[in-house]
Amino acid sequence: DREPFIVERLQKYQLEDTIIRYYFKGYDNEKLYNVVRMAGMLPHGVTGRALFNSIMPEVRNFSRRVKEFSGEGSLSTIELDLVVNERRITGRLDNVRQNGMIQYRYADVKAKDRIKAWISHVALNASTTKEYAANSRLICKDESLEMEPLADGIDILKYLVEIYIKGQNGYVVLMSIGE
């Protein structure tokens, strides 16, 4: 008997995302295979091994692209605690190195990725921590975006907080028709 196996898009994304996270933690191929196999993310037997082997070349290429930008320095986390427009903004910026902040997602870039990367970049530039370069990069499967340091990061953050406050009280028109 034959049992066809098809990996749905969401399942494949979750599998690839798990593999890339563990790959960046330094897991070798065999250890990675065992992690995703034990988590039930692969079909049994030869089919599962073939699927895993077909994903790994792309994972290695993506990892190389991320490492090209990030270099070998250690990753840091910046703790944010800012007061902007009478609002307190707290949070963390992860994956910060001497040469800037790097964000990556093992998928094609989407609008939500660009927005998240931009807001994080503005927060990095508004932060009082100047131990790190204030540039950022978003690396996705299909493209990479680089953001240069901002001279007015705190002013941009103030503007974003104003929009947020307005949005809490009603609709916010971000652009009019014809723009």
Side-chain angles (χ1 to χ4, degrees):
D1 288 332
R2 289 188 177 177
E3 192 174 317
F5 182 80
I6 298 171
V7 179
E8 301 293 329
R9 288 180 70 187
L10 178 59
Q11 289 173 316
K12 187 170 187 231
Y13 170 76
Q14 291 168 337
L15 173 62
E16 290 171 338
D17 185 59
T18 301
I19 289 172
I20 201 78
R21 278 187 290 118
Y22 282 97
Y23 191 79
F24 279 125
K25 289 180 181 179
Y27 282 44
D28 64 22
N29 275 14
E30 201 55 37
K31 206 170 181 183
L32 274 170
Y33 174 73
N34 287 327
V35 165
V36 292
R37 185 176 58 83
M38 297 288 221
M41 299 177 90
L42 291 174
H44 297 287
V46 177
T47 307
R49 179 57 87 167
L51 175 60
F52 177 82
N53 289 341
S54 72
I55 290 171
M56 286 311 295
E58 244 185 273
V59 166
R60 281 192 215 67
N61 287 336
F62 182 78
S63 171
R64 231 175 272 121
R65 284 180 47 218
V66 171
K67 287 180 180 177
E68 278 174 20
F69 176 76
S70 60
E72 295 301 319
S74 62
L75 290 171
S76 296
T77 298
I78 294 177
E79 298 290 336
L80 290 176
D81 191 356
L82 304 167
V83 177
V84 179
N85 297 354
E86 299 177 18
R87 298 279 201 257
R88 186 169 182 198
I89 298 174
T90 61
R92 301 164 46 131
L93 297 174
D94 295 319
N95 296 333
V96 180
R97 296 184 187 251
Q98 287 303 128
N99 62 346
M101 180 171 55
I102 185 165
Q103 297 175 65
Y104 59 86
R105 184 165 175 262
Y106 192 69
D108 290 347
V109 69
K110 307 231 178 330
K112 68 179 182 176
D113 302 320
R114 292 174 191 265
I115 292 168
K116 179 183 175 194
W118 172 247
I119 292 171
S120 296
H121 178 65
V122 170
L124 174 68
N125 280 265
S127 116
T128 56
T129 304
K130 300 301 175 200
E131 302 166 32
Y132 307 97
N135 61 312
S136 303
R137 179 168 285 186
L138 170 64
I139 301 173
C140 293
K141 282 172 74 170
D142 60 338
E143 67 180 288
S144 296
L145 308 169
E146 190 159 355
M147 293 164 267
E148 298 294 325
L150 303 169
D152 55 349
I154 195 72
D155 294 330
I156 295 170
L157 192 57
K158 285 178 182 177
Y159 178 69
L160 292 175
V161 170
E162 281 177 34
I163 293 172
Y164 173 78
I165 292 168
K166 285 179 185 173
Q168 296 295 299
N169 299 314
Y171 295 110
V172 177
V173 178
L174 298 177
M175 67 178 94
S176 62
I177 295 175
E179 279 189 60

